[in-house]
Amino acid sequence: MAARGHVQDPNDRRLRPIYDYLDNGNNKMAIQQADKLLKKHKDLHCAKVLKAIGLQRTGKQDEAYALAQEVAALEPTDDNSLQALTILYREMHRPELVTKLYEAAVKKVPNSEEYHSHLFMAYARVGEYKKMQQAGMALYKIVPKNPYYFWSVMSLIMQSISAQDENLSKTMFLPLAERMVEKMVKEDKIEAEAEVELYYMILERLEKYKEALDVVRGKLGEKLTSELQSRENKCMAMYKKLCRWPECNALSRRLLLKNSDDWQFYITYFDSVFQLIDESWTPPPEDEHSLEGEVHYSIEQAVKFIEERITEESKNARPLRGPYLAKLELIRRLRYRGCNDEYKLGDPEELMFQYFKKFGDKPCCFTDLKVFVDLLPSSQYTKFISQLLEVIPLSAAAENEIALPADIKALQQHLCVVQLSRLLGIYHAMDKKEKLIVVQELMLRYRHGLEFGKSCLKTELQFSDYYCLLAVHLLLDLWLEGEETAVWQCLTLLEEGLSHSPSNAQFKLLLIRIYCRLGAFEPVAELYSSLDAKHIQHDTIGYLLTRYAEALGHYTAASQSCNFALRFFHSNQKDTSEYIIQAYKYGAFEKIPEFIAFRNRLNSSLHFAQVRTERMLLDLLLEANISTSLEESIKSMSLSPEEDDIPWKDLRDNRDLTVLFNWDPKDRDISEEHKKLSLEEETMWLRIRSLTLRLVSGLPTLSHTIQPKNSEKTAENGVSSKIDTIRSLLQQLEAAVDSGKTFLEQKIQYPVLGPPPTRMAGFFSNGSCQCQTSLFYLVSDIYELDTNGLDSAEIQERIGNSFKSLVERLTDLFNKCKGDLIEVRDGTLKTHPNLLENLVFFVETISIALWVSSYCDSVLRPFKSNLQKKKKKKKESSVAMPPVFTHFLDYVTELQTLTSNVIDHIKGLELILTELKLEELSLKDTLLLQEEKKFTKTVQGKVQSSYHHSVQEIGELLKKRLDTIKKLKI
């Protein structure tokens, strides 16, 4: 071995420059250096692999793969070549090739611990659990270390998790894993906490809760030390599974005596007390109450216990919230059982008032009390709020002025009361005039509160930010009631708030939602980027961006936002494998199933499926038959009409629909029903979009040379099956459209800050849906013409009629795009985002019309040339041209005229938007202060600029499409 190591030294020195070039991203120099080295040392395998890495990174994937396979075929065993090939295969997203590499290496060097562990990790990357189990045992035989043995056990558990048959999982894999661990227990070889955790996990999955409890409570349980109260939490979980409520109660009671602020144990304590009451449990006369000590089994004991916790807590220097909230929780549970009056715990209103006096200056006070407001009778709301206001130290400079807080504590208390007022519906009950007065007062308080945050860093939030948010919520109410100016004031106040608190995510999220509602996407991209969304947030809040980018005509931004999201989803696959490997290395076995569940959840993400589909449609819209042919575009995306890669049954809605703060009462807030309906709507719209994409991807497959109709070959996997696919997809599209229409008949109104509705309603109402469906039916007719020849007058007439009705429908769609995008009415700005969305649908529909026309062109062109040949042979000047040619040429001419008209209309819109002098708008609203006027100007400027940008991008794309139409002359 020493000699071998000595021989490798000069090679390491020779390879060093290539590694350096690759590390610095200088791939071309790396390839050159590798070539130089290979001229002198032909057998230096690692140099070949490093060259392949350089080729892979410069986009020459095929050459890189060929070179790598050349080296892999030699089955290298030197560490440099193996590591370099592993890196290359990972970059190629071909982890399965790494397994073959190390399988060969292990055969040649059977006693190498390093190669065996690399082989195990290679199997882990591709999820080959059975082979992982075997590799783990092989490793343990070479080097008898506990971790290797337990790698094998964990692989058995993974086989049980991934097994389709649950019975097989519980009768074979898990019992085998259990026996393997028991063997180690009997031999007293259990060393680490991770091994005990693994044993516990197996027993839990086998539903052997009694045995699992014995393990945790026994000698092995002493090793569970890394997490705080790990042992107690596991015991509690098992007691619950076994319905051993006395032990649950005694353990939670004991833990609360140690820490009376741990909320989870209050919940368990109450659950167990009421379970014992329902079971009429009584303690045994002689023995101890339970394994865990004394048990409380009556309401009197529970009341006394909570009162004692409060008394104990009052002696503490630092007040704890737990005992006070526990008292309210107990009242709520007793009231639910209809037996509150027997046990005088106090009046909830008074208890909440006392709680506010104690903790009102903490930001968490509102969220704590929010849970219990339903204990108050609605008739007491106003009195309760007045009572709270009385204890806040506010002082007014003059008699008629608003009383303001003198310090941050008083400000926090007042903020809590304002939030509660909104939650209790007091603001909702006001009329327009009262609401505007409250908005003024809240903004005055907001600006006054800024004084307390003068020393705050840019990354910190201002203490009074919530005043501004609450004012905006009130204005949103007014906007929904039909007050058009209110929405502009919302934007003004939010922009002002953001200037003082540039890191406030709530301001940004609310601005994003409102700008999108107004049809202005340009400011949104910048706002979203400043949110600096990380990792999983691309899935949870990415919908805020991807829903509107393309719909509002910002094609470039739409491409970028889809790329952001897709990059995250694709890297998730690779990253999760690395997390799993780290979990094996460090013995965090319980995390492995979690990582796999996380990966599956992301792969089944609704947002992932939407972004993937929309991205491909967008790419076709921007490139197909412009920079590349439709066929090439579809080929580069590996699209096939037969394949549907969306996991419809397992789709997961990972959107965070409560990301925006909300203080609305329950009846106005986003409900579970809203979330369910939104998922249903999103899935329907995704199905329509996915089928549209698959239908478009089927067009190039039809453009092949067709056998005559009596040929038997057509049925053999040929084009006839392709048209069957198209027809089947068309039926599915019709069914999806019908489902969508039925769904929209419910006329669902989501809350203003709830899930944004899909584009489905506009797609149906503006006629795009009918146009696109007719276009796909036309494809079927053209195909029929292609197979039957020009003899059938009936088909030709049908095609002619289709062309006519299509032009009429497209003209109707254009008519629905007419009108001013932004208009000034009574000194107020009003936007019409629906016109913008209609224009975007028009561009998409005209693009599909052109792709279908190209298919018509490819079918009719050969017919025409054949007719001309016949004409020449017969030397007749008057061979009658079939009517279909005239129909097609008329149709193309009309398409060209229509598109030119739309382009002219768009130029007109651009001109109007450019000439629109927003500064001349009389900002006559007396509510606006001078500084607010400055922000209003900014906001209106952003909206105007965004609309201008949208119209420009739509216009540019239509001009490219017009050029395509001009080429359609058969």
Side-chain angles (χ1 to χ4, degrees):
M1 286 299 285
R4 189 163 160 253
H6 177 68
V7 172
Q8 278 190 323
D9 284 345
N11 282 345
D12 285 350
R13 195 181 65 249
R14 289 173 189 136
L15 293 167
R16 176 56 40 211
I18 310 177
Y19 281 118
D20 291 341
Y21 284 131
L22 287 171
D23 287 343
N24 297 328
N26 197 342
N27 299 314
K28 284 185 181 173
M29 282 304 292
I31 296 168
Q32 284 175 21
Q33 190 68 29
D35 282 333
K36 275 186 200 170
L37 194 54
L38 286 166
K39 277 180 188 171
K40 291 181 189 172
H41 306 275
K42 286 181 183 173
D43 297 332
L44 193 51
H45 305 320
C46 187
K48 274 188 185 176
V49 184
L50 294 177
K51 179 185 174 182
I53 292 175
L55 289 166
Q56 169 72 17
R57 289 176 185 176
T58 48
K60 296 173 181 171
Q61 283 91 344
D62 295 342
E63 286 180 54
Y65 180 67
L67 209 53
Q69 291 309 87
E70 207 177 293
V71 178
L74 301 169
E75 299 184 350
T77 53
D78 64 295
D79 211 29
N80 284 340
S81 300
L82 290 170
Q83 291 292 349
L85 276 166
T86 303
I87 291 166
L88 175 62
Y89 288 148
R90 210 175 296 168
E91 287 185 14
M92 286 178 164
H93 305 294
R94 298 286 302 274
E96 71 282 0
L97 296 175
V98 181
T99 58
K100 290 177 183 159
L101 204 61
Y102 279 103
E103 279 167 3
V106 162
K107 275 180 192 165
K108 285 191 173 179
V109 191
N111 290 330
S112 165
E113 179 184 0
E114 187 188 351
Y115 290 171
H116 271 284
S117 63
H118 277 308
L119 177 61
F120 180 88
M121 295 310 173
Y123 286 141
R125 279 197 182 90
V126 291
E128 291 263 15
Y129 303 124
K130 187 165 177 52
K131 288 184 178 175
M132 283 163 72
Q133 180 203 341
Q134 292 161 352
M137 283 316 287
L139 245 175
Y140 183 67
K141 282 172 187 166
I142 299 165
V143 189
K145 291 179 184 172
N146 267 22
Y148 297 150
Y149 186 85
F150 283 94
W151 283 5
S152 187
V153 176
M154 186 63 214
S155 305
L156 270 169
I157 296 177
M158 291 316 298
Q159 283 180 71
S160 88
I161 291 172
S162 59
Q164 300 295 321
D165 183 359
E166 200 177 321
N167 191 32
L168 184 70
S169 163
K170 287 193 174 171
T171 54
M172 188 170 106
F173 297 124
L174 288 171
L176 180 55
E178 184 189 10
R179 285 200 299 277
M180 284 178 76
V181 182
E182 276 173 357
K183 179 175 178 282
M184 295 297 266
V185 174
K186 281 172 191 163
E187 292 170 11
D188 201 17
K189 286 185 181 174
I190 299 279
E191 294 167 0
E193 180 181 2
E195 295 158 14
V196 182
E197 290 267 14
L198 194 57
Y199 192 19
Y200 174 81
M201 194 201 297
I202 294 166
L203 293 169
E204 192 182 12
R205 286 179 180 276
L206 279 168
E207 294 175 14
K208 292 187 173 182
Y209 304 129
K210 170 82 176 64
E211 291 83 345
L213 186 62
D214 294 341
V215 168
V216 179
R217 284 179 61 87
K219 192 182 164 193
L220 289 175
E222 290 167 15
K223 294 187 189 292
L224 300 170
T225 53
S226 66
E227 277 180 45
L228 202 63
Q229 294 173 334
S230 169
R231 207 172 173 185
E232 288 86 347
N233 284 329
K234 283 183 167 57
C235 281
M236 189 76 85
M238 291 304 102
Y239 288 143
K240 282 182 185 173
K241 295 274 190 192
L242 292 163
C243 295
R244 284 169 65 168
W245 300 112
E247 278 79 7
C248 265
N249 181 277
L251 181 56
S252 53
R253 188 189 134 278
R254 203 175 76 224
L255 290 165
L256 285 169
L257 289 172
K258 270 192 209 170
N259 175 10
S260 60
D261 209 32
D262 199 326
W263 188 249
Q264 59 170 334
F265 296 129
Y266 279 114
I267 299 299
T268 313
Y269 175 77
F270 291 140
D271 286 344
S272 57
V273 166
F274 289 117
Q275 284 284 353
L276 292 169
I277 291 168
D278 292 342
E279 290 170 12
S280 310
W281 184 88
T282 51
E286 292 162 18
D287 298 337
E288 271 196 11
H289 281 199
S290 75
L291 282 174
E292 298 287 351
E294 189 190 334
V295 177
H296 287 172
Y297 54 93
S298 70
I299 294 174
E300 291 86 349
Q301 286 171 310
V303 172
K304 187 178 173 221
F305 179 67
I306 296 301
E307 294 288 9
E308 283 170 4
R309 296 290 56 73
I310 291 174
T311 314
E312 281 293 314
E313 191 282 322
S314 57
K315 296 173 191 171
N316 263 349
R318 189 175 71 87
L320 299 175
R321 293 146 50 220
Y324 298 97
L325 292 171
K327 195 171 187 178
L328 285 164
E329 175 65 21
L330 184 54
I331 290 173
R332 189 166 67 173
R333 289 187 179 223
L334 289 169
R335 190 173 281 191
Y336 177 72
R337 292 169 73 90
C339 57
N340 185 31
D341 291 335
E342 298 169 43
Y343 310 98
K344 302 297 180 197
L345 277 159
D347 176 27
E349 189 182 339
E350 180 57 29
L351 290 173
M352 287 164 86
F353 174 61
Q354 294 302 330
Y355 186 84
F356 176 78
K357 276 166 69 173
K358 217 171 181 62
F359 301 104
D361 58 342
K362 305 261 188 300
C364 59
C365 182
F366 168 73
T367 44
D368 288 345
L369 293 179
K370 181 182 180 180
V371 186
F372 300 108
V373 288
D374 52 355
L375 294 175
L376 297 173
S378 53
S379 56
Q380 299 292 314
Y381 288 171
T382 317
K383 177 180 159 247
F384 176 62
I385 293 294
S386 309
Q387 197 182 359
L388 297 183
L389 283 170
E390 281 167 18
V391 295
I392 304 173
L394 301 175
S395 52
E399 211 172 288
N400 298 333
E401 288 187 16
I402 290 170
L404 296 165
D407 57 19
I408 295 168
K409 279 193 170 185
L411 179 139
Q412 204 63 60
Q413 284 177 308
H414 189 268
L415 248 181
C416 180
V417 177
V418 175
Q419 291 175 77
L420 282 167
S421 304
R422 173 86 181 165
L423 180 71
L424 296 171
I426 291 169
Y427 290 157
H428 294 91
M430 293 177 174
D431 61 23
K432 178 188 163 185
K433 197 176 173 186
E434 288 172 318
K435 279 181 182 171
L436 286 172
I437 292 167
V438 173
V439 168
Q440 259 186 304
E441 184 198 324
L442 289 172
M443 285 314 290
L444 183 96
R445 291 185 179 283
Y446 166 67
R447 292 182 186 115
H448 168 259
L450 292 175
E451 289 173 22
F452 302 124
K454 281 181 179 170
S455 60
C456 286
L457 300 172
K458 272 191 171 180
T459 50
E460 293 176 318
L461 307 187
Q462 290 288 336
F463 297 107
S464 57
D465 277 353
Y466 279 10
Y467 282 128
C468 184
L469 271 177
L470 282 152
V472 170
H473 278 236
L474 274 166
L475 287 166
L476 280 175
D477 292 348
L478 287 170
W479 182 43
L480 291 177
E481 287 160 20
E483 187 61 39
E484 204 56 52
T485 50
V487 72
W488 296 101
Q489 213 176 334
C490 282
L491 291 171
T492 301
L493 299 187
L494 286 168
E495 288 282 5
E496 181 186 342
L498 199 57
S499 70
H500 297 298
S501 195
S503 294
N504 192 319
Q506 287 300 317
F507 286 160
K508 292 174 187 176
L509 288 164
L510 205 44
L511 276 167
I512 287 172
R513 286 302 299 268
I514 298 171
Y515 275 129
C516 286
R517 284 284 292 254
L518 291 175
F521 187 79
E522 198 172 48
V524 169
E526 196 182 324
L527 284 163
Y528 186 85
S529 157
S530 71
L531 276 171
D532 200 15
K534 295 275 193 297
H535 199 258
I536 189 69
Q537 287 174 313
H538 288 301
D539 192 18
T540 56
I541 61 171
Y543 71 92
L544 294 171
L545 201 60
T546 51
R547 156 65 182 88
Y548 290 103
E550 185 190 351
L552 297 173
H554 283 257
Y555 297 119
T556 315
S559 261
Q560 286 167 353
S561 56
C562 287
N563 282 347
F564 277 143
L566 289 174
R567 205 171 298 141
F568 159 66
F569 285 114
H570 290 142
S571 69
N572 154 58
Q573 281 292 76
K574 198 169 68 181
D575 294 349
T576 313
S577 301
E578 295 311 310
Y579 305 151
I580 292 166
I581 284 167
Q582 294 307 314
Y584 271 108
K585 278 184 183 170
Y586 296 108
F589 296 123
E590 75 279 9
K591 294 291 168 207
I592 295 169
E594 287 177 31
F595 287 140
I596 286 168
F598 175 72
R599 177 168 66 193
N600 294 343
R601 183 169 179 172
L602 284 181
N603 287 343
S604 311
S605 162
L606 166 76
H607 186 232
F608 181 28
Q610 286 172 324
V611 171
R612 222 168 46 222
T613 307
E614 291 296 344
R615 174 68 223 249
M616 289 193 273
L617 279 167
L618 184 62
D619 281 352
L620 292 176
L621 192 65
L622 299 178
E623 291 165 16
N625 288 358
I626 293 177
S627 54
T628 57
S629 72
L630 179 64
E631 190 167 0
E632 282 167 13
S633 297
I634 286 165
K635 195 177 171 187
S636 70
M637 293 178 198
S638 312
L639 265 176
S640 158
E642 294 87 3
E643 284 171 25
D644 184 5
D645 60 351
I646 296 173
W648 294 104
K649 284 181 183 171
D650 303 320
L651 274 183
R652 291 291 297 266
D653 186 1
N654 298 333
R655 295 174 299 164
D656 183 354
L657 298 174
T658 53
V659 67
L660 286 152
F661 286 171
N662 205 340
W663 296 275
D664 286 343
K666 261 186 189 167
D667 59 328
R668 287 170 174 263
D669 203 358
I670 176 171
S671 64
E672 285 307 311
E673 183 64 15
H674 285 134
K675 291 178 186 176
K676 190 170 135 276
L677 288 166
S678 173
L679 172 60
E680 200 180 324
E681 183 181 344
E682 293 285 353
T683 310
M684 283 176 179
W685 177 235
L686 173 60
R687 200 178 283 279
I688 290 170
R689 300 298 279 167
S690 168
L691 287 165
T692 305
L693 176 65
R694 287 169 66 195
L695 279 161
V696 169
S697 73
L699 287 175
T701 61
L702 300 175
S703 308
H704 296 311
T705 50
I706 306 282
Q707 302 279 345
K709 68 172 178 179
N710 57 358
S711 165
E712 291 169 20
K713 287 184 184 174
T714 43
E716 290 178 23
N717 310 321
V719 183
S720 68
S721 63
K722 300 285 184 193
I723 193 67
D724 292 342
T725 306
I726 298 279
R727 284 168 183 158
S728 156
L729 289 173
L730 200 43
Q731 281 177 341
Q732 290 175 48
L733 181 63
E734 286 277 20
V737 165
D738 289 343
S739 305
K741 285 178 178 169
T742 311
F743 179 86
L744 290 175
E745 280 167 13
Q746 299 175 63
K747 293 192 168 49
I748 294 148
Q749 283 291 321
Y750 300 113
V752 67
L753 301 177
T758 62
R759 298 164 66 198
M760 190 158 67
F763 182 62
F764 293 155
S765 65
N766 63 26
S768 307
C769 176
Q770 294 84 332
C771 273
Q772 292 187 15
T773 317
S774 307
L775 281 161
F776 293 124
Y777 274 117
L778 176 63
V779 170
S780 180
D781 288 344
I782 298 281
Y783 177 85
E784 217 175 303
L785 180 79
D786 199 4
T787 44
N788 294 330
L790 297 171
D791 305 336
S792 168
E794 185 209 337
I795 297 175
Q796 293 190 47
E797 192 182 338
R798 206 161 65 213
I799 291 170
N801 291 338
S802 294
F803 284 147
K804 275 180 200 155
S805 75
L806 270 168
V807 172
E808 282 167 18
R809 282 180 171 159
L810 284 164
T811 311
D812 281 348
L813 176 51
F814 170 42
N815 289 335
K816 286 179 182 157
C817 302
K818 288 178 180 173
D820 289 335
L821 294 174
I822 300 180
E823 60 172 328
V824 180
R825 197 189 290 164
D826 306 330
T828 309
L829 214 58
K830 177 147 179 59
T831 61
H832 295 285
N834 59 315
L835 294 178
L836 203 52
E837 293 213 19
N838 288 351
L839 261 174
V840 170
F841 273 129
F842 178 85
V843 175
E844 188 180 294
T845 309
I846 206 90
S847 299
I848 294 174
L850 290 178
W851 296 328
V852 171
S853 302
S854 295
Y855 169 59
C856 297
D857 184 73
S858 70
V859 168
L860 294 177
R861 209 179 276 266
F863 279 134
K864 190 165 187 183
S865 61
N866 286 343
L867 282 170
Q868 282 168 339
K869 281 175 192 169
K870 282 181 188 174
K871 195 174 169 184
K872 279 180 186 172
K873 277 183 188 173
K874 292 185 179 178
K875 294 180 182 173
E876 284 177 29
S877 56
S878 60
V879 171
M881 273 290 173
V884 71
F885 294 112
T886 324
H887 295 324
F888 181 65
L889 286 171
D890 290 350
Y891 168 65
V892 169
T893 311
E894 284 172 324
L895 273 188
Q896 193 173 325
T897 312
L898 178 62
T899 311
S900 300
N901 291 345
V902 180
I903 290 170
D904 291 342
H905 170 67
I906 286 173
K907 280 179 189 161
L909 290 176
E910 272 190 64
L911 208 62
I912 293 166
L913 286 166
T914 313
E915 288 171 358
L916 194 66
K917 297 278 187 285
L918 294 180
E919 55 269 20
E920 288 170 15
L921 273 180
S922 53
L923 297 170
K924 62 178 189 289
D925 200 328
T926 47
L927 281 176
L928 293 178
L929 304 172
Q930 199 50 45
E931 58 197 285
E932 284 185 359
K933 288 184 180 176
K934 179 184 79 180
F935 287 111
T936 304
K937 218 180 226 180
T938 310
V939 162
Q940 293 180 336
K942 282 181 178 180
V943 172
Q944 181 187 14
S945 162
S946 176
Y947 268 88
H948 195 259
H949 189 124
S950 296
V951 167
Q952 272 182 326
E953 283 212 39
I954 293 168
E956 288 300 313
L957 185 52
L958 266 181
K959 280 176 196 165
K960 288 175 185 170
R961 287 286 166 217
L962 183 61
D963 295 341
T964 320
I965 299 175
K966 287 174 182 171
K967 292 174 191 165
L968 285 174
K969 299 284 184 210
I970 51 169

